[in-house]
Structure formats: C-alpha cells, structure tokens
Amino acid sequence: MLKIYNSLSKEKETFSPIRPGHVGMYVCGPTVYSNLHLGNLRTFMSFDMIFRYLLHLGYKVRYVRNITDVGHLVGDIDDGEDKIAKKARLEQLEPMEVVQRYTVDLHDILNRFNLLPPSIEPTATGHIIEQINVIQKIIDNGYAYESNGSVYFDLAKYNQDYEYGVLSHRKLEDMVGNSRKLSGQSDKHNEHDFAMWKRANSKQLMRWPSPWGDGFPGWHTECTTMSTKYLGEKFDIHGGGMDLKFPHHECEIAQGVAYTGNAPVNYWIHANLLTLNGKKMAKSSGNNILPGEILSGASPFLSKAYSSSVIRFLMMQTHYRSIMDFSDDAIFAADKGYNRLMKSVETLQKLEAGGMSTLDILPWRNNCYEAMNDDFNTPILISQLFEAVNFINLLKNKSASLIATDLDLFTRLMSGFVYDVLGLGKTSEINEGHNEKLDGTINLLIEMRNSARADHNYVVSDQIRDGLEMLGIQLNDAKEGTTFSY
Ligand code: AMP
Ligand code: ZN
C-alpha cells in the first residue's frame, strides 16, 4: 500500500485517490524568464519519478504542470515588477519572446533529462478569462475586494470564517503582529492581503481587460484556476518545491476554500531544495549550475562532463524530501555506481535460464516495492537494485540459477524499476548518442577556429564563434583552452 508524506498533516498517509484507479496531480511549473537551473530540475525530476511510479502501479494519471508566463513578481511580493516583463525590458524584447525562448529551453532540457511530458501544460496567459471568473466568484463569496483597479484577497475575513496557515502552520495573528505597517498609499486593507488581480500602469505591456479595468492576474490565482479547471474543485495531489509552501500554496488553499467552501487538495507534496556548496541554488545569485553544463562539463563547479542519466541516478540517491548538496565528488561517485548498475542490467538480459531456481526473487521484489511505497524512497530502492547486482553476479558465474519464468520475472522487475520508475538509460542513451556527435562536431569547429586564429584569420574565427552562438552554443575562452555550453 502506497504511503505519501502529506505536508498538511506532517504525516505519512495511506494514499487513497478520490476516484479509484485515477490520480489527479498538479505541480507548480517554472516561471519562464530564464534557463532552468539544476535545482529547478531536481524538483521537476522528483515529480517525474512520482508520476512514473504512479503509472507503474497502474493508475491512470492526469498530470498537470503549468507554465507561469505572467503574474510572478520580482521578490514574490505584490509590489514587484513582473519577472518576465523585467527581462523583456532589459533585453528589449516582447514579453512573449522571453516566454517563447525559455519555454523552448525548458522542453529541450526536460526531454534531454528523460522527464515524461505532463498530460496538460497550461499557461497563465492562456487562462485569463478563467482567472477573472475565479476572482469574481471569490469577490461574490465575500473573500476578496476591489481597490483602485486591483483585487485583493481579504485574509482577515477569511481567517474569521476559516483558518489561514494550515499548511505552513503559521498563524495570521502572529504574522500581523510581526509585520511592518501599511504605508498610506497602499490599496490593500491589510498588509497580508494578497493580489489576485493587479491594475496595469500605463507602461505595462502585459495587460488584459477585466471588470476592474486593464491589469494582469496574480501568481497564486493562476494555479488555483488551472488546477480546478483540469482536475476539479477537489483533487488528489498538489506539488512543488519546498519554497512554494509559503506563501504560494498557503494562498492557493485559502483561495480554493473561498472559491468552493472546501479544501482543494488531499495530499500536498513538497520536494526539497538542491544546494551548491551549502547554499540554495538560485537563478538570481549566480550560485547555480545549468543542466546543459552537466552535459558539456563547462562549469567551474565540475571537473568533467556527465550524461543525463548519471545526474538522474545521483538525484534519485537522495530522498526527494531531503536537502541535497551537489558536489563534483558526489557526481563522480554516482558515475561509477551508475555504470556498475547498467552493466549488470545488460548482463541480466543475456543470461540463460537454468533447470532449477536457487535464488528467491520474491523477497527482493517485496523490498523494492516496500521502499517505493514508503513515500517514494528511491535511495532504498537503489540499494535494493545493488542487491540485485549481487544476484546477477552469482547467476553470471553459475553460483546460482533461475528457471525461465523466474528469470523473466527478475528481468522485467529490473527493467521496470531502472528504466520506467527511475527513468535511467534507454531514451536518454539515444539522446546522449546524439549529443556525443554534436559535441564532437563542436570540438572540431573549436579546433578549426584555433587554427584560423593562429593564422590571424579573424574573419573565419569570428564566423565560427558567431555562427555557433546563433545556434545557441556559447564558446568560453579560458587560459586552459576553449569550452562550450548549450
Ligand atoms: P521558479 O521557476 O523559480 O518558480 O521555480 C520552479 C520550481 O523550482 C519551483 O517548484 C521551485 O520551488 C523549485 N526550485 C527553485 N529553486 C530550487 C532549488 N534550489 N532546489 C530545488 N528546487 C528549486
Ligand atoms: Zn503554483
């Protein structure tokens, strides 16, 4: 029986979906204003593993992961500039050019790291009318108010009728006591009320007409709107990174309750952060590695390039609820472990059945399922897979044997856990074959560029560098030589 740690109760609970055999799962997707870093990838990979395991168990899963293309403001506060609008302003692009560029990058990276596509990938800008309808209903229900062209959620009113803070276990009274007072100019009645709709100023490019004037929707509102649209007013699983628990998910719960009168989600799952040198990996701080840099090795934090499966293997060695610190040593060790496991899986596929079974596969199978059913414990599953490597060695050197049906079961279980649940090998191997060729071609061009520079033929050397850049491949010249990233 599958048990899931629910952030709401802070306990592992037996999973019981609303509709037997079906699972509705919503995960907050990225804000597409910059490249995905390895921390973001870890969160999406954790939910990919959960999606894969639910499918493996035979559930029919509708997995919705949104794309935030408006409404997420700098600093996660109501008065900041929209992250996408800011990027567009700095780069003199249309906001939708920013969105397009980073959505393409997102899909490319997630595909290269073998994440399954979600069932639905809705965008905030594609659901403006639905968001306006949700906001209007919440105003009608008495839990939001219009003020100077913006609409705010009325937390004080909500907290009178329900309880705010059930997920993060914070009390509104304490928050109010600890916060700065409202400045005279604020449109809000209370400091902690949050924006569901913001009035657009005259320079704002991203704006839509609404009953309250031209404006744009708030970040929390898009997730409430798109999750209920595709999964219903109450659904099974809602996930995201740990840092979204408060205020984003707390506000989603309040909106859901204010909208329908009931809590919107049964199981809240939060994936923990990836740190680099002990500090949170973040887009803004420079303390990050891009997934593409893992594949090319072009990062000061790495001594060489690694395949996408090795990073998957490394990430699956840590439980999704634990903080994971990335280091060059850790990925180096994971590379060795991964190769040992995959060689063994290949060997298993070539083994021949014996006349009798001297190994009992069933207790091992139970251990694997017990690990995964215990809140998706992939590190324990991996230790069981290495137990299987020992079995395979015994079978290979004829110290043990399995009859055909047992060998077939063993092979299917190994493939199921390694390829389908953990998402290692297979598809990504194909991708990596393609990358190897591309990487070889780029290295050849770098050599040609070096020769051209040695001959003072800067027209050709610049042509190579600029041509590669047009294709999204950056060359980085350093004392030790030229590296590349894409
Ligand atoms: P963002 O695009 O910043 O909204 O982030 C997309 C997802 O990545 C969210 O679920 C975040 O919680 C998650 N995330 C951001 N930084 C990290 C990190 N360092 N480690 C793991 N997940 C992260
Ligand atoms: Zn969200």
Side-chain angles (χ1 to χ4, degrees), residues 148-447:
N148 200 17
S150 296
V151 178
Y152 294 97
F153 190 88
D154 188 344
L155 267 187
K157 170 78 169 65
Y158 177 81
N159 206 44
Q160 268 169 19
D161 300 349
Y162 303 100
E163 190 190 345
Y164 182 71
V166 287
L167 183 63
S168 57
H169 306 280
R170 298 179 192 215
K171 288 214 172 305
L172 185 62
E173 299 78 30
D174 301 341
M175 287 165 51
V176 170
N178 288 330
S179 72
R180 67 191 162 88
K181 291 281 164 287
L182 275 178
S183 70
Q185 286 125 21
S186 179
D187 297 331
K188 294 183 191 182
H189 293 173
N190 290 297
E191 179 61 35
H192 291 284
D193 294 351
F194 58 85
M196 301 181 74
W197 184 266
K198 282 285 284 180
R199 181 171 62 111
N201 63 36
S202 57
K203 292 201 210 95
Q204 203 102 38
L205 290 172
M206 286 191 283
R207 59 196 302 138
W208 291 264
S210 81
W212 318 286
D214 272 11
F216 60 93
W219 178 35
H220 313 313
T221 309
E222 66 169 277
C223 285
T224 293
T225 304
M226 293 188 272
S227 59
T228 47
K229 169 158 178 158
Y230 295 111
L231 299 172
E233 289 180 358
K234 194 168 193 68
F235 56 95
D236 299 299
I237 297 176
H238 192 314
M242 202 62 98
D243 55 343
L244 299 189
K245 205 190 265 187
F246 183 88
H248 185 52
H249 291 161
E250 200 69 79
C251 294
E252 272 190 56
I253 293 178
Q255 287 175 142
V257 172
Y259 183 50
T260 67
N262 290 307
V265 176
N266 279 341
Y267 302 87
W268 282 91
I269 304 185
H270 291 97
N272 217 326
L273 297 178
L274 183 68
T275 58
L276 180 61
N277 300 323
K279 277 190 264 146
K280 184 188 167 190
M281 219 181 252
K283 283 171 188 166
S284 47
S285 67
N287 189 51
N288 65 52
I289 299 183
L290 301 183
E293 292 172 342
I294 297 279
L295 305 176
S296 69
S299 161
F301 299 108
L302 290 169
S303 52
K304 70 182 197 81
Y306 293 94
S307 75
S308 60
S309 284
V310 171
I311 194 87
R312 267 198 95 104
F313 181 77
L314 173 66
M315 290 197 174
M316 294 297 138
Q317 278 181 315
T318 303
H319 190 263
Y320 78 90
R321 273 195 296 117
S322 303
I323 290 181
M324 173 180 165
D325 193 47
F326 183 89
S327 71
D328 196 38
D329 289 348
I331 193 165
F332 190 81
D335 194 22
K336 287 202 171 137
Y338 171 74
N339 286 318
R340 196 158 82 84
L341 177 65
M342 296 315 273
K343 273 211 183 81
S344 198
V345 174
E346 269 171 40
T347 305
L348 173 61
Q349 270 144 6
K350 289 184 209 134
L351 289 178
E352 280 171 17
M356 56 190 256
S357 289
T358 60
L359 281 176
D360 190 359
I361 294 302
L362 294 184
W364 170 80
R365 178 183 72 170
N366 292 346
N367 291 343
C368 292
Y369 279 108
E370 231 169 65
M372 286 305 286
N373 286 341
D374 182 18
D375 192 31
F376 313 102
N377 200 327
T378 52
I380 304 267
L381 172 67
I382 289 176
S383 70
Q384 287 301 325
L385 296 181
F386 280 105
E387 195 57 40
V389 169
N390 294 335
F391 290 168
I392 294 165
N393 287 340
L394 292 176
L395 294 168
K396 189 178 151 197
N397 63 32
K398 310 265 184 238
S399 310
S401 68
L402 287 175
I403 56 167
T405 46
D406 287 347
L407 184 63
D408 182 52
L409 173 69
F410 188 31
T411 312
R412 274 189 292 116
L413 285 167
M414 273 303 266
S415 305
F417 286 119
V418 171
Y419 298 132
D420 302 342
V421 175
L422 296 179
L424 302 172
K426 265 188 179 165
T427 329
S428 41
E429 271 163 18
I430 299 164
N431 289 340
E432 278 148 24
H434 161 76
N435 284 339
E436 257 168 41
K437 283 192 191 141
L438 177 60
D439 292 356
T441 311
I442 299 170
N443 279 325
L444 187 66
L445 283 164
I446 291 175
E447 277 173 35

